[in-house]
Structure formats: structure tokens, C-alpha cells
Amino acid sequence: MSDTIAAVSTGMQVSAIGILRLSGDKAINIVDKLFIPRSGKKMSESEDRKLVFGSLCDLDGQTLDICLCTISRAPHSYTGENTAELQCHGSPAVLRAALDAVFALGARQALPGEFTKRAFLNGRMDLTSAEAVADIIDAETAEAAKNAAGQLGGAISRRIDKIYNFLTDLSSHYHAVLDYPDEDIEDFTLESYKAELHAAIAELKRLADSYSGGKLLHGGIPAAIIGRPNAGKSSLLNAVLGYDRAIVTNIPGTTRDTIEEKLRLGGVLLRLTDTAGLRETDDEIERLGVMRSHEAMENAELVIAVIDGSGEVTAEDEEIIRCAEKAPHAVVAVSKSDLGKIAVLPETTLPVVELSSMTGEGLEKLAEVIKTLFPMPDAPAGEILTNARQAEAVDRALAALTAAYDALLQGCTPDIVLTEAEGAMSALGELSGKTVREDVTNRIFERFCVGK
């Protein structure tokens, strides 16, 4: 990693601020040749992490921008290497010219996530913290951002390291007694580690259990609005979005395809799909739309069954409610309450909300019901798993430790217990990055944006 990398971390769109980052042995030397501080001192003479005002020039000495620059020397930087950052005005032309000059002086284009990958490889953060960087950038709710920030701060690392260190002590004690029988080493007994082993299992189980809610916190809840044609599905979508996303008419079958939008409702991030009205039809296009409606309903974690409250409940409405009852979570929305008449529903175990998409009445109640259906995982911010790779590693570690504990209870020999315990250590090492393979790390950092 002796080469120097550079990238525009704010993207190449017009913006108020544009940031050009460099990391590597030549980073400070390069900005010395391109940035002229107003103080007259070179950046290599500046203090670490101090913003310096000056002129950014091209290779011919022509001024490109009046901006700020800061440097950090290894190992006390984000990447653990010499780094420099130019905080320019957000002109794509300026940033492109500055980047070309940086490349001409020996830097190369950074790959996606390469700055954070170098931070990981240089021991500035473990893998769970590195993955949290991408999660903060991708966060679509305050709750997701807080959880990612907690992970970046080491919330999961501290839990995992405690278990990993315990297993290291367990293994090293066993092997020390085995390899040096004549030394004055405390006798190894599995019973002395029983309580700690049980506590480690409980901690891993709590982490593993957090993933079911964590993946919804991070990615959003797949939700489908279903109902008969003209029940008010598209009107409901428009109402909760706050703008006209779907076409609404009095003509049945207006919606012929699914429409998906992300939004927060009741503090819950939904991937909400408006579907074509469920009915038998000879129209080929509408029939395909109905098929997609069934697919959306089958894949949904939340189903909102919309019933037209201004008319009589039909057999189709009853079937729609029965379908909704089979979903993991569902609510019945009785629409068009502003028209005065509210249909009498068949008995159902689902929560029922009367609402009007025209006036907004009942939308707040709908949000409250959804919030109740999807409570936040009961864990401190940062200790909720949102990553499939991490969850799979925790599951393997939990299975291995459970097998070790069962072997201990059954009176198996220490070597059997230690074999399972070391399997757990291997899985936890993959979680933190201690033993992770290079191809895995490459895949992880490929999902990062360029410049991070």
C-alpha cells in the first residue's frame, strides 16, 4: 500500500463544497506542489488536522480555486497513512482539473471504499466498524444512522472482543497445561469456565436475535397495499407520500403495474408498493398487473388491505382480508371515511383503521398501528446486527459455543470442548476481521462509494 490514492469524495455534481482526498506516502508532498497557503508556509510545515487557507493551483501555477487544506501524518489519520484533504468550491471543472494534477504528480484513482479498506488493513478500525461506515452513508432513518454510528464507535467490537479474549484465555490455559506439565501452572478444569461460557452464549444469542429487526431497520420493511379496484389504494399511497405519485381516477383498473416508493410512516422505513386492484379480468395487461400484485403481497412483511368504506363489503373484500391475515404483519384500512358511510367488516384479528386519503383523517392512527407492529429492537444503538455477513458469523459462533457447552455438561474430555470453542473463535475472527479472507474483504469494500 505504498502507492498514493486520490478521489473526489463528494462526487462530481455541482455542489457548495467539493472535497478531494489523498492518502499514501506522497500525499503531503503532492499538496505541497499544488496548494499555496496564504501564510507562506508549506503544508508539510503545518500542524496535523489544522485547516489552512490558500490557493489551489494547477501544474503551471495557475490558480484553480481559493480553498482550504488540511493534512494528517501517519499513523494518526483515518487511513493510518499520510493524508491530505482539499476542501474546494463544488465545481466539477475545478475538481476534475485538481484531480488531473494530483494524478500527474504520482497518485492514482482510489477504488470504491479504498480509504476505509486501508484504515482496516492498517489497524485503525476492525471490520465491523469499517462496514458501519457504509451503513452510515446508506442510512435512511435517524435510527439506522444512530445504530451505524454506535457500530463505528465499536459497540459490537467490544462485545465480540470480550468473548474472543475469553476463548483465547481458555484455549491458551488448556494448551499450556498440556504442553508444559512440569511447570507451575494452575490446573485446567472446564468447570471453572462454565459460567463464562454460558454468559458468552447468552451474549451471542442476543446479538443473533437482533438481526431479524436489524435488517428491517437498515433495508426497510417490504409493504404492499392491496384491495379491489377503486378501493382507494393509490389515493392512500399519494396521501402518505405527500404528493401525487400514482394516477388516481374513478375508472376501475387504472393501476396496472406495481409502484414502489420508500417512506417513513410511524418512524418505520417502508418499501411501500401500490398494486393493481385484485379482481378477475380478461384484459391481458391488467391480468399481468394482478399477478404482480399477488407477488408483492407474498413477498411483503406488511400488508395494508384497503377496503372501500363507502360501499358494501363484497366477497372479494372478505377474501382480501383473509389473504392479509396470512401475512407476517397486516392492517385493514377502511378508506373514504369522508363520504360518511363506513362499511361493516367481517370479523378479523387484524387492527382496523378508518381513514380518508382526501382529508388525511386516520393517517396518523395508521402510522401508530404500524409503529406498534414494528417496534425497534430492544438493544442499545450500535448493538443491533443489520449485516447478513455479520449475522452469519455470529450464528456459526453461537452454534459452536453451544456445542462446546453441551459437551462440557455431558462430561466430554477437554479436547472436544476446546475444538468447538476454537471453531467459535474462528467465526468471531471473521466477524471482526482478524481471520477474514482477502476475497471477502474485497467484496465488502466494493459496496462503498468512491472517495470513502
Side-chain angles (χ1 to χ4, degrees):
M1 294 190 296
S2 60
D3 57 338
T4 299
I5 58 174
V8 175
S9 62
T10 47
M12 282 296 195
Q13 70 282 349
V14 175
S15 60
I17 302 294
I19 297 177
L20 173 58
R21 309 177 74 192
L22 299 89
S23 180
D25 294 343
K26 297 180 181 178
I28 298 174
N29 291 335
I30 288 174
V31 294
D32 262 349
K33 296 174 182 178
L34 299 176
F35 184 78
I36 304 172
R38 287 291 172 90
S39 66
K41 295 170 60 178
K42 291 184 176 181
M43 285 306 301
S44 56
E45 299 171 358
S46 174
E47 301 172 30
D48 282 9
R49 293 173 292 282
K50 179 180 179 180
L51 280 173
V52 177
F53 180 65
S55 301
L56 173 64
C57 302
D58 62 17
L59 295 177
D60 296 325
Q62 298 296 310
T63 300
L64 292 171
D65 196 6
I66 307 299
C67 60
L68 299 169
C69 184
T70 182
I71 63 171
S72 295
R73 296 172 177 84
H76 305 296
S77 70
Y78 179 76
T79 62
E81 305 170 335
N82 286 342
T83 63
E85 189 172 280
L86 291 158
Q87 299 185 10
C88 309
H89 294 93
S91 162
V94 168
L95 295 170
R96 182 72 261 174
L99 198 58
D100 288 343
V102 166
F103 292 158
L105 291 172
R108 67 164 174 83
Q109 174 67 52
L111 300 173
E114 192 167 4
F115 288 93
T116 305
K117 184 177 182 180
R118 289 188 174 204
F120 163 65
L121 295 175
N122 289 325
R124 297 293 291 170
M125 61 178 70
D126 74 358
L127 202 51
T128 58
S129 296
E131 288 175 303
V133 173
D135 287 343
I136 287 180
I137 294 171
D138 294 339
E140 298 184 76
T141 65
E143 292 79 12
K146 290 174 183 176
N147 188 66
Q151 291 186 3
L152 180 58
I156 289 181
S157 303
R158 287 188 291 272
R159 300 286 185 178
I160 294 304
D161 286 347
K162 183 177 180 181
I163 297 172
Y164 190 92
N165 291 337
F166 155 63
L167 295 175
T168 300
D169 291 342
L170 174 66
S171 181
S172 60
H173 185 188
Y174 170 74
H175 288 293
V177 172
L178 190 68
D179 295 340
Y180 304 100
D182 297 330
E183 298 293 329
D184 186 19
I185 301 174
E186 181 183 355
D187 289 342
F188 179 84
T189 61
L190 286 174
E191 191 65 27
S192 62
Y193 290 103
K194 183 177 178 181
E196 285 183 273
L197 192 57
H198 186 270
I201 290 171
E203 180 62 32
L204 287 179
K205 188 175 188 311
R206 188 193 61 75
L207 265 179
D209 289 345
S210 73
Y211 179 59
S212 59
K215 63 182 177 181
L216 299 179
L217 172 69
H218 177 71
I221 295 163
I225 304 175
I226 67 169
R228 288 190 294 114
N230 268 21
K233 302 182 299 302
S234 296
S235 295
L236 177 57
L237 176 69
N238 291 341
V240 295
L241 285 174
Y243 64 93
D244 290 341
R245 173 64 178 86
I247 297 173
V248 176
T249 74
N250 292 324
I251 303 171
T254 300
T255 302
R256 296 192 170 203
D257 200 354
T258 55
I259 300 173
E260 182 175 314
E261 289 290 336
K262 281 189 177 181
L263 72 148
R264 290 186 65 185
L265 196 59
V268 179
L269 179 64
L270 300 180
R271 299 204 314 269
L272 187 58
T273 301
D274 179 27
T275 65
L278 300 177
R279 68 171 177 177
E280 296 293 331
T281 176
D282 294 328
D283 185 298
E284 180 64 18
I285 297 176
E286 187 179 356
R287 188 176 64 81
L288 291 173
V290 172
M291 287 176 59
R292 292 191 177 185
S293 298
H294 283 287
E295 290 175 4
M297 182 168 53
E298 291 169 2
N299 296 326
E301 186 73 20
L302 168 67
V303 167
I304 302 175
V306 180
I307 306 298
D308 184 350
S310 66
E312 299 298 327
V313 172
T314 67
E316 290 174 320
D317 288 325
E318 294 183 9
E319 179 59 27
I320 286 167
I321 293 173
R322 298 288 87 83
C323 289
E325 289 174 341
K326 298 175 184 177
H329 303 86
V331 58
V332 177
V334 183
S335 66
K336 306 180 184 180
S337 63
D338 55 298
L339 298 182
K341 179 181 178 181
I342 294 297
V344 178
L345 298 182
E347 186 174 339
T348 179
T349 57
L350 300 178
V352 177
V353 177
E354 297 176 3
L355 56 83
S356 167
S357 298
M358 295 296 293
T359 66
E361 181 184 359
L363 294 182
E364 188 173 328
K365 177 65 181 301
L366 178 63
E368 291 174 1
V369 169
I370 291 174
K371 184 176 183 179
T372 302
L373 292 175
F374 297 96
M376 283 290 294
D378 185 20
E383 296 182 17
I384 301 169
L385 289 182
T386 59
N387 181 301
R389 185 197 72 84
Q390 295 173 5
E392 190 272 337
V394 169
D395 284 341
R396 282 191 286 116
L398 177 59
L401 274 195
T402 301
Y405 189 73
D406 290 343
L408 186 156
L409 295 180
Q410 294 167 15
C412 295
T413 56
D415 60 306
I416 295 176
V417 176
L418 263 294
T419 297
E420 297 292 353
E422 288 170 358
M425 287 180 65
S426 177
L428 295 178
E430 291 179 30
L431 178 64
S432 64
K434 289 184 173 70
T435 58
V436 72
R437 301 193 315 271
E438 183 179 358
D439 61 326
V440 174
T441 59
N442 288 339
R443 284 200 301 272
I444 289 170
F445 290 103
E446 282 172 359
R447 78 182 182 97
F448 282 59
C449 54
V450 173
K452 196 63 183 176

